[in-house]
Amino acid sequence: MSLPTSLAELTDLVDFNQRSLLISAAAIAFNPTFWNIVARREYRTKFLTRLFGGNRQAACYALAATIFSLGLIRDFLYERALRDQPSHPALEGPLVNYAAYALLAVGNLFVISSTWQLGITGTFLGDYFGILMDGIVTGFPFNITNAPMYYGSTMSFLGTALLYGKPAGILITLHVLVVYLIAIQFENPFTAGIYAKRDKERAQAKAAGKPYEEKKEL
Ligand SMILES: *[C@@H]1O[C@H](CO)[C@@H](O)[C@H](O)[C@H]1NC(C)=O
C-alpha cells in the first residue's frame, strides 16, 4: 500500500459530498476572520471596552473566552467531519500513530508554551485593546518560530488527521495552513504598527524629559 503521491490522488480519497467537510472548512476560515474584524473594530472604536464600562482588561478576557469557545466548536466540527470521511490503510499502523502523537505533543506544547509566555491578553489580541507587551518575547517557543500558536495549531490538525487515518484531514490541514498564513500576513504588519506607535510616543516622551505613560482614557 503506497501513500497518495499527488494532490490529485489525495482528492480522490476525500468524500466531497459530505456537508460536514464544508462546514469544518468554513469554521476554520471563520475564526481568524471573526477575531480580526472584532479586534480591528475594537482598536478603532473601543466598542468592546465601552461595552465593559471602560475596563479594557475585562473586554479582552471576554473576547479571549469567545475565541477560545469558537476554537472548541471548530475542533468539534473537524472531528465530526473526519468521522464522515473514508480512512486509508496507508495511514494505519504504529508508525503513523507515533507521528500523530508526536505532532499532537509538539503542537500542543507550542500553543500552551506561547500562551504561557504571552499571557491571556498577549495571546488574545490585547494589543488591539491598548494592553501592550513591554517588549518582544524571545523565549521558547518564540526562538523556534514567530507564530508558534498558528504552527502549533496546524500540527495538531495534522496529528488528528493521522490519528484518525483520514486523508481528508490532511487536506483540511492544508486549508488550515493557508488560512493561518493569510492571517499572519494580515495581522503582523498591523500589530507592528501598534508597537511602532507606542515606541514613537515613548521616544518623544523621553526626548521631552517626561515619563512615558500609556493612555488610560478611551
Ligand atoms: C529555545 O529555547 C529553549 C529554552 O530556553 C532551548 O532549550 C532551545 O535550545 C532554544 N532553541 C533554539 C533553536 O535556540
Side-chain angles (χ1 to χ4, degrees):
M1 199 54 67
S2 65
L3 283 164
T5 50
S6 71
L7 199 60
E9 261 184 83
L10 180 63
T11 55
D12 283 344
L13 305 170
V14 178
D15 183 356
F16 287 101
N17 292 320
Q18 296 296 335
R19 217 160 57 105
S20 55
L21 185 71
L22 196 70
I23 292 172
S24 167
I28 287 161
F30 174 80
N31 288 7
T33 309
F34 167 82
W35 75 59
N36 272 295
I37 289 173
V38 171
R40 288 207 180 182
R41 179 149 179 229
E42 166 63 18
Y43 183 75
R44 283 198 323 274
T45 70
K46 299 285 163 246
F47 79 110
L48 277 179
T49 299
R50 285 176 209 282
L51 197 64
F52 282 83
N55 187 340
R56 63 176 77 163
Q57 207 84 24
C60 186
Y61 271 89
L63 179 61
T66 308
I67 293 172
F68 187 79
S69 309
L70 286 171
L72 294 180
I73 294 170
R74 176 205 60 194
D75 292 347
F76 167 80
L77 292 172
Y78 176 52
E79 298 209 17
R80 194 186 63 161
L82 288 185
R83 277 198 291 274
D84 290 344
Q85 290 291 322
S87 311
H88 194 281
L91 296 181
E92 279 155 16
L95 280 181
V96 175
N97 271 341
Y98 296 147
Y101 287 124
L103 282 163
L104 286 167
V106 176
N108 281 309
L109 177 69
F110 272 24
V111 170
I112 291 165
S113 59
S114 66
T115 309
W116 177 260
Q117 288 274 4
L118 298 175
I120 297 295
T121 56
T123 301
F124 294 99
L125 306 149
D127 348 351
Y128 295 75
F129 292 78
I131 311 165
L132 303 196
M133 309 280 296
D134 283 335
I136 294 170
V137 178
T138 53
F140 180 86
F142 291 93
N143 64 347
I144 313 274
T145 160
N146 60 1
M149 206 55 110
Y150 287 141
Y151 293 122
S153 169
T154 307
M155 282 186 241
S156 295
F157 272 93
L158 186 56
T160 307
L162 296 184
L163 203 59
Y164 279 74
K166 309 282 177 137
I170 299 175
L171 193 66
I172 294 183
T173 302
L174 289 175
H175 169 66
V176 169
L177 185 62
V178 169
V179 166
Y180 283 165
L181 288 174
I182 294 171
I184 291 169
Q185 291 301 313
F186 189 74
E187 289 168 11
N188 281 4
F190 197 82
T191 1
I194 295 176
Y195 280 89
K197 186 163 173 279
R198 192 267 306 267
D199 292 346
K200 196 172 141 212
E201 285 166 5
R202 256 187 189 167
Q204 281 168 348
K206 194 164 176 232
K210 286 188 233 150
Y212 171 72
E213 275 180 55
E214 266 182 52
K215 286 200 193 71
K216 291 279 183 268
E217 79 279 13
L218 285 179

